[in-house]
mmCIF file of all heavy atoms in Angstrom:
data_model
loop_
_atom_site.group_PDB
_atom_site.id
_atom_site.type_symbol
_atom_site.label_atom_id
_atom_site.label_comp_id
_atom_site.label_asym_id
_atom_site.label_seq_id
_atom_site.Cartn_x
_atom_site.Cartn_y
_atom_site.Cartn_z
ATOM 1 N N VAL A 37 -5.838 -0.489 -2.154
ATOM 2 C CA VAL A 37 -5.508 -0.788 -3.549
ATOM 3 C C VAL A 37 -5.282 -2.296 -3.705
ATOM 4 O O VAL A 37 -4.371 -2.866 -3.104
ATOM 5 C CB VAL A 37 -4.256 0.001 -4.005
ATOM 6 C CG1 VAL A 37 -3.994 -0.229 -5.492
ATOM 7 C CG2 VAL A 37 -4.424 1.492 -3.728
ATOM 8 N N GLY A 40 -2.424 -6.208 -3.673
ATOM 9 C CA GLY A 40 -1.235 -6.284 -2.797
ATOM 10 C C GLY A 40 -1.397 -5.675 -1.418
ATOM 11 O O GLY A 40 -0.731 -6.084 -0.472
ATOM 12 N N GLU A 95 -1.703 1.531 0.211
ATOM 13 C CA GLU A 95 -1.020 0.837 -0.878
ATOM 14 C C GLU A 95 0.107 -0.022 -0.305
ATOM 15 O O GLU A 95 0.630 0.268 0.774
ATOM 16 C CB GLU A 95 -0.506 1.923 -1.846
ATOM 17 C CG GLU A 95 0.345 1.458 -2.986
ATOM 18 C CD GLU A 95 -0.357 0.514 -3.945
ATOM 19 O OE1 GLU A 95 -0.868 -0.517 -3.467
ATOM 20 O OE2 GLU A 95 -0.323 0.757 -5.155
ATOM 21 N N ASP A 96 0.466 -1.078 -1.014
ATOM 22 C CA ASP A 96 1.565 -1.917 -0.536
ATOM 23 C C ASP A 96 2.925 -1.249 -0.768
ATOM 24 O O ASP A 96 3.691 -1.044 0.149
ATOM 25 C CB ASP A 96 1.515 -3.324 -1.169
ATOM 26 C CG ASP A 96 1.407 -3.300 -2.689
ATOM 27 O OD1 ASP A 96 1.403 -2.201 -3.295
ATOM 28 O OD2 ASP A 96 1.337 -4.390 -3.299
HETATM 29 MG MG1 LIG B 202 -0.142 -2.378 -5.249
#
Side-chain angles (χ1 to χ4, degrees):
V37 185
E95 174 62 305
D96 51 2

